[in-house]
Amino acid sequence: MRDFYGVSLANPMMLGTARFPSPAVMEAAFRASGASVATVSLRREGQGGGAFRALVQRLGVPLLPNTAGCHSAAEAITTARMAREYFETDWIKLEVIGDADTLQPDPFGLLEAAETLCADGFKVFPYTTEDQVLAARLVDAGCGVLMPWGAPIGSGLGLNNIHGLRMLRAAFPDVPMVIDAGLGLPSHAARAMELGFDAILLNTAVAEADDPAAMARAFALAAQAGAAGAAAGPMTARDMAVPSTPVIGKAWL
């Protein structure tokens, strides 16, 4: 398992803490999945008071505060600095939203905020697209992790651009990458890991399931299976059939 800013994760699954029907259900989902990181929102904490912080700290995993809902670099930078002070971590999932309908990142605001936060000592996890030029600029700014989306946040569509994600992974082989957003089924998680990504981050697909704990466990198993498959060296896809039983020695009648 690749390190994330010097932290090695035992489980390639990161899980969000929003949208669950109750704190108890959220905690049960984390326990069932064994997720290695919990993403948290400063805005959510503002609504729930100190009880929410106590709950997520009780999970016993690294916290990854996010700048969810920010639509400008200035807003994201301010939120990140508040989150660092409140949650006592220099990890930040950087989101700068550029479109209200798709929740697609604003590449210009994202890069501006990343440059400022990296210079300020943050360990930035930027929520980005599969654009290789933007990825290169984020790495040059100091980002040691990239978090390309699979599909729009909360859509459950899976991996919308397999080719683009594969090319991104190949272009930056030494940069840890997390597929963030859009995963709806455990099979999507397995596919992401099979493509060589290092972890997945999801929330809605688990929180909105009929049984969030069972779904969280399913995603964790799928991610682990996909990672194991990638490490084993999968066969190359072929256009033609290849018999698994040799024809040499076959009786010809």
Side-chain angles (χ1 to χ4, degrees), residues 39-152:
T39 62
V40 294
S41 171
L42 184 67
R43 297 174 184 231
R44 171 85 181 276
E45 171 59 18
Q47 297 171 359
F52 177 71
R53 181 171 63 171
L55 172 60
V56 295
Q57 289 176 332
R58 192 166 68 239
L59 297 174
V61 298
L63 301 182
L64 178 58
N66 64 46
T67 61
C70 293
H71 290 259
S72 70
E75 187 180 10
I77 291 166
T78 299
T79 301
R81 287 171 172 163
M82 293 171 63
R84 177 168 63 180
E85 181 176 346
Y86 190 82
F87 290 109
E88 300 179 332
T89 178
D90 53 8
W91 280 21
I92 191 71
K93 178 189 170 187
L94 179 59
E95 298 182 30
V96 182
I97 300 302
D99 183 82
D101 291 328
T102 65
L103 300 182
Q104 179 170 325
D106 171 1
F108 308 102
L110 178 64
L111 181 57
E112 179 185 348
E115 290 173 336
T116 297
L117 293 174
C118 287
D120 197 21
F122 282 88
K123 295 179 172 62
V124 178
F125 293 67
Y127 163 63
T128 182
T129 65
E130 64 275 20
D131 185 289
Q132 291 187 36
V133 176
L134 176 56
R137 298 294 186 271
L138 290 168
V139 171
D140 290 344
C143 296
V145 175
L146 294 173
M147 302 184 75
W149 67 347

Side-chain angles (χ1 to χ4, degrees), residues 141-192:
C143 296
V145 175
L146 294 173
M147 302 184 75
W149 67 347
I153 295 171
S155 68
L157 293 173
L159 306 180
N160 273 358
N161 186 358
I162 294 287
H163 174 72
L165 290 170
R166 183 185 291 114
M167 294 294 289
L168 181 68
R169 176 69 282 180
F172 301 90
D174 299 323
V175 178
M177 291 192 193
V178 183
I179 292 293
D180 174 23
L183 302 183
L185 296 170
S187 57
H188 298 157
R191 184 65 175 129

Side-chain angles (χ1 to χ4, degrees), residues 229-230 232-240 242:
M235 64 173 284
T236 302
R238 306 182 180 100
D239 292 330
M240 300 294 291
V242 176

Side-chain angles (χ1 to χ4, degrees), residues 183-194 200 202 205-206 214-226:
L183 302 183
L185 296 170
S187 57
H188 298 157
R191 184 65 175 129
M193 301 302 294
E194 288 167 352
I200 58 166
L202 67 154
V206 170
M215 185 61 77
R217 177 64 173 159
F219 266 98
L221 291 171
Q224 292 163 16

